[in-house]
Amino acid sequence: VRALTQLGALAQAFEGPAGGHRPLGAAIVATERAAAETAPPVQLFKLADGRRLAWRDYGDPAGRPVLVITQDLSSSLLPRGTNVLARDLGLRLIATERAGSGRSDPHPDFTFANVAADSVALIRHLGIDGLQITTNTDGAAYAMEAAVKLGDSVARILLASGRPPGLQAERERDQGHKLTLFWRRIYRNPWLSDMIFEMMRLSLSRAQFERYACAAASAPGDAAYLKAHPELLDFIIDYTRESVAVSARGAADSIRCAARSAEPDLSALACPVTLWHGDQDPMNGVEVVQAWLGDHVESTRIFPGVGRFLAHKHWPEAMAWLARS
């Protein structure tokens, strides 16, 4: 009862008052300044077990290939301008949607390894070698599993704002970060995830997203970035709405997986990992990610004045990094 009360209160903190707010309308519709209007179309790849994996293909088809593993409550939608910039940089970005999210079918046995295998199957079907992988936040475990399965085909990994899998203790300073509290508590009570995420999915409004974005921007640098770039809200709306357009199953499965699963075995990881992390990240410090990845970390870069929004604020820079040999 306490867990339900706490999580319900935190979820309500992201919602506007009842009534009076314009609904967002049909699923997967671009807003005026958002990314969807210039994004490549969603494609569907049929997996060996008959399920479908949704993905988008950005940039130059003959460019340097990059597998993009997105975060929870996200789709294959990348920031506006990605398609043109990737083409200019000679990159091909292959962004997949996690099982049960967006247009991808759910996985009956949702684990880090099994879900990563979906992206691996697509990469092998496309005949891609010399691959890079980039991911952020809680996409980290899936990216590492994919890299292990692909072996020498992966040259390097760029991980921004990494989140090691599993439970993390609630800290006193988390009281000032509602979204951090929400994630800490839902991981401790994964049996509530289906209900919580489905309730959130059915009540989505622009007012709710504004509250959610403000909660995510609890770090001072993130709040300043959101204020200076209000179009970020449109992007958050589009990728979140795409991710739950069919159901909230993928988000709930991700929570249960992270709560129950052992950390991926990285002993066979053959490529180096570069870490990018904001010095205001409210979820975890970079030292937590370094401890998880150990000797696989080749280099670490700390970005001042940024927290959760590192991947948003520095996406063009990340693409430039991926384009360098």
Side-chain angles (χ1 to χ4, degrees), residues 70-85:
T70 55
Q71 62 191 18
D72 284 350
L73 282 176
S74 187
S75 70
S76 57
L77 187 64
L78 300 180
R80 186 183 182 107
T82 293
N83 202 30
V84 173
L85 181 56

Side-chain angles (χ1 to χ4, degrees), residues 71-74 97-102 104-107 110 115 138 142 182-183 186-187 189-201 212 240 242-260:
Q71 62 191 18
D72 284 350
L73 282 176
S74 187
E97 299 182 351
R98 198 165 301 160
S101 296
S104 289
D105 292 329
H107 200 298
F110 192 109
V115 172
D138 38 35
Y142 304 95
F182 176 81
W183 289 117
I186 195 72
Y187 279 127
N189 301 279
W191 54 280
L192 289 169
S193 57
D194 282 296
M195 178 175 59
I196 291 291
F197 286 118
E198 189 63 22
M199 288 171 57
M200 292 176 69
R201 184 180 84 88
Y212 176 84
T240 306
E242 281 197 5
S243 77
V244 295
V246 178
S247 77
R249 171 79 178 271
D253 281 347
S254 294
I255 295 297
R256 285 190 290 267
C257 174
R260 72 169 183 261

Side-chain angles (χ1 to χ4, degrees), residues 2 6 14 34 61 75 90 97 109 113 116 118 132 137 146 154 168 185 187 196 209-210 239 278 280 282 303 306 325:
R2 182 176 68 179
Q6 288 177 338
F14 308 142
S75 70
E97 299 182 351
D109 184 15
D118 291 348
Q132 299 179 88
T137 63
V154 181
Q168 292 189 26
R185 292 175 181 177
Y187 279 127
I196 291 291
F209 272 108
E210 288 172 354
Y239 73 64
Q280 295 181 3
F303 289 75
V306 66
S325 298

Side-chain angles (χ1 to χ4, degrees), residues 118-242:
D118 291 348
S119 295
V120 169
L122 173 63
I123 293 299
R124 288 176 173 160
H125 170 76
L126 295 173
I128 290 173
D129 203 358
L131 182 72
Q132 299 179 88
I133 297 177
T134 186
T135 189
N136 67 299
T137 63
D138 38 35
Y142 304 95
M144 298 305 155
E145 286 282 13
V148 168
K149 292 179 182 299
L150 288 166
D152 293 337
S153 296
V154 181
R156 57 182 181 172
I157 300 172
L158 175 60
L159 171 57
S161 305
R163 308 281 185 254
L167 307 179
Q168 292 189 26
E170 193 171 309
R171 308 159 302 178
E172 184 176 349
R173 70 175 186 172
D174 293 341
Q175 299 302 316
H177 303 285
K178 288 181 180 178
L179 195 59
T180 297
L181 279 177
F182 176 81
W183 289 117
R184 297 237 196 273
R185 292 175 181 177
I186 195 72
Y187 279 127
R188 291 208 309 268
N189 301 279
W191 54 280
L192 289 169
S193 57
D194 282 296
M195 178 175 59
I196 291 291
F197 286 118
E198 189 63 22
M199 288 171 57
M200 292 176 69
R201 184 180 84 88
L202 294 174
S203 64
L204 292 180
S205 69
R206 188 174 185 87
Q208 179 180 351
F209 272 108
E210 288 172 354
R211 286 174 173 256
Y212 176 84
C214 289
S218 56
D222 288 346
Y225 184 75
L226 181 60
K227 183 177 180 179
H229 298 83
E231 66 274 11
L232 175 58
L233 177 62
D234 293 327
F235 179 49
I236 293 173
I237 287 173
D238 273 0
Y239 73 64
T240 306
R241 289 179 61 244
E242 281 197 5

Side-chain angles (χ1 to χ4, degrees), residues 31 36 61 215 270 285:
T31 50

